[in-house]
Amino acid sequence: MLNIVIFGAPGSGKGTQSERIVEKYGLDHISTGDVLRAEIAAGTELGNTAKGLIDHGQLIPDELMIEILAAKLDKLAGGKGVIFDGFPRTIAQAEALKTLLNGRGEDVTAMIELDVPEEELMDRLLKRGQLSGRADDNEETIKKRLVVYREQTSPLKEWYKNDGKHCYINGSGELDRIFADIVAAIDSKI
Ligand code: AP5
Ligand code: MG
């Protein structure tokens, strides 16, 4: 089983590169952002809770997020593996993921960090905001998302270095070059 964490700031290309990784390795894709947006679109209670937080660039509380992730993972028994996109975002989530996978006799295979300068992230997300209609793709919310990433999520780089799983990728430039670097990193961990 291949368990890949795709990691990076808002707009770093997690979703874009996940599609290619899914195609090459035949993995299931869990994007926690997509899960939450589907709940919002369906008008569920979870969706209502999530909307207020996402619109302000804040994280959904760990306990709730871990419960959602565990439920998604349970539904995916028997595949070739999973790409985790947007999860974990805190140390508590990383520890929970490790426990969940270890409980199945598995572990994270590789953590792929896509590194992109903040000015470029802002440009990409403002551009996407004009097309996507994502409520959090506006300048004020993007700034908050970047602060949350810096303060709460970026410490996971060290956490995964200590766990021997961290792979650094320069996330700026051509999509094909970035993907080739990701494939080389994954293959070096298999
Ligand atoms: P989430 O949906 O995960 O959003 P995000 O992390 O802010 O990242 P994005 O989806 O905006 O960007 P991406 O890295 O996928 O980049 P993409 O490929 O789209 O989370 C949203 C919210 O949900 C969070 O803020 C939080 O509130 C909540 N949430 C989610 N998970 C949570 C968790 N685990 N715990 C708590 N709360 C959680 O690319 C971006 C743009 O750039 C696209 O237009 C793309 O075409 C373009 N692009 C991609 N690559 C390149 C390139 N190489 N060159 C030029 N342009 C590029
Ligand atoms: Mg995404």
Side-chain angles (χ1 to χ4, degrees):
M1 295 284 280
L2 210 52
N3 294 300
I4 307 296
V5 171
I6 186 116
F7 181 88
S12 57
K14 301 184 294 294
T16 304
Q17 295 294 340
S18 287
E19 285 179 22
R20 294 174 171 225
I21 298 168
V22 162
E23 198 180 319
K24 177 166 173 71
Y25 294 95
L27 304 181
D28 289 302
H29 180 203
I30 301 181
S31 158
T32 44
D34 287 349
V35 171
L36 295 169
R37 283 184 289 275
E39 295 285 337
I40 292 171
T44 63
E45 199 184 323
L46 168 58
N48 291 337
T49 306
K51 183 166 172 38
L53 293 162
I54 290 179
D55 286 354
H56 292 96
Q58 302 300 312
L59 298 183
I60 276 65
D62 283 333
E63 246 175 74
L64 183 54
M65 208 61 238
I66 290 164
E67 205 179 290
I68 295 166
L69 195 273
K72 281 278 155 196
L73 205 51
D74 271 344
K75 287 199 190 134
L76 295 179
K80 288 186 180 168
V82 180
I83 177 147
F84 297 91
D85 164 0
F87 188 102
R89 272 175 140 91
T90 62
I91 304 274
Q93 291 182 15
E95 285 169 349
L97 180 60
K98 192 170 180 72
T99 306
L100 275 171
L101 291 175
N102 287 173
R104 299 155 180 256
E106 296 174 40
D107 202 348
V108 167
T109 312
M111 183 272 217
I112 305 291
E113 178 201 346
L114 298 174
D115 182 40
V116 177
E118 282 203 2
E119 314 81 75
E120 189 176 338
L121 296 169
M122 181 56 87
D123 279 355
R124 287 186 188 182
L125 293 175
L126 286 175
K127 257 187 218 147
R128 191 182 62 187
Q130 291 167 356
L131 308 166
S132 71
R134 249 179 77 164
D136 56 349
D137 281 347
N138 61 78
E139 187 169 358
E140 195 191 334
T141 310
I142 295 166
K143 280 186 184 156
K144 288 185 189 156
R145 288 157 68 193
L146 292 173
V147 170
V148 167
Y149 172 76
R150 237 182 280 137
E151 292 178 350
Q152 299 187 49
T153 305
S154 68
L156 285 177
K157 295 178 209 170
E158 275 311 304
W159 195 92
Y160 277 106
K161 278 179 196 165
N162 291 334
D163 207 29
K165 312 292 185 195
H166 177 265
C167 304
Y168 174 89
I169 305 285
N170 174 0
S172 292
E174 284 294 314
L175 294 180
D176 287 347
R177 195 230 80 230
I178 297 167
F179 182 61
D181 287 354
I182 292 172
V183 169
I186 292 174
D187 290 350
S188 78
K189 296 284 186 190
I190 295 178

